[in-house]
Amino acid sequence: MRVSGLYRSAAFVLLAYCGLKGMTEAADPKWNSLMGTIDPSKHTIAGQWTKSANELSVKAGQGARIAVATAPAGEYEFRATCTRRTGQHSIGLVVVHAGRPVVFEVDAWGSHLAGFQDIRGKSIRENATRRDGVTLENNRRYTIRVEVRQGELRGLLDDKELAKHVSDGSDLSIPDVCKFPRDDQ
């Protein structure tokens, strides 16, 4: 799992992972914080990331990315509570589905779009997960969540579904600006 996107300045307050294998739908899943596993000096891919207590911050810059030191398998959820401090670019979570990475972005392309990219090589601007009119307000805290299920992905902002995609993973890819050294993390 990874945190990714085009940021001006953002603070990630909470990163959590929820493994769902073997749990019933009625059970309240236990969220496992990933903050303790992140070391900016080791996990930064691009950008100037810093960590203090339970917060990650990144200095303004295009394509800022940091890896989370875990490789999920099967069904899971990935959640980040975040605040974009300045700018107008997206915040995105990169997840792995059936061994293939894909990014769920919110307020993307300077056009206030949300959705998954890339699907069949097409960005949010061109694929069916496109949701128009999704704007993040600077200095407001949001929770972004991606649910990875067998055969399906869902992207949510503050518990509101913005994108859904039925997939076995074979149609997923990632834009160059969101690439990571490893596809399984």
Side-chain angles (χ1 to χ4, degrees), residues 110-140:
S111 302
H112 311 299
L113 302 177
F116 290 103
Q117 60 181 6
D118 290 340
I119 307 292
R120 292 178 198 88
K122 295 182 178 184
S123 76
I124 297 168
R125 294 177 290 188
E126 308 159 325
N127 73 49
T129 69
R130 175 185 176 138
R131 170 67 75 73
D132 293 303
V134 181
T135 304
L136 296 175
E137 293 177 33
N138 289 341
N139 296 309
R140 180 175 164 197

Side-chain angles (χ1 to χ4, degrees), residues 53-133:
N54 283 328
E55 185 173 287
L56 278 173
S57 296
V58 64
K59 195 172 187 173
Q62 186 175 11
R65 302 180 303 283
I66 192 164
V68 177
T70 188
E75 296 185 339
Y76 66 95
E77 295 183 19
F78 186 39
R79 174 178 73 186
T81 300
C82 52
T83 303
R84 184 179 64 190
R85 301 285 183 208
T86 63
Q88 62 180 10
H89 295 286
S90 65
I91 294 179
L93 297 182
V94 178
V95 296
V96 178
H97 178 51
R100 304 283 302 262
V102 66
V103 61
F104 172 63
E105 289 197 56
V106 179
D107 203 357
W109 292 103
S111 302
H112 311 299
L113 302 177
F116 290 103
Q117 60 181 6
D118 290 340
I119 307 292
R120 292 178 198 88
K122 295 182 178 184
S123 76
I124 297 168
R125 294 177 290 188
E126 308 159 325
N127 73 49
T129 69
R130 175 185 176 138
R131 170 67 75 73
D132 293 303

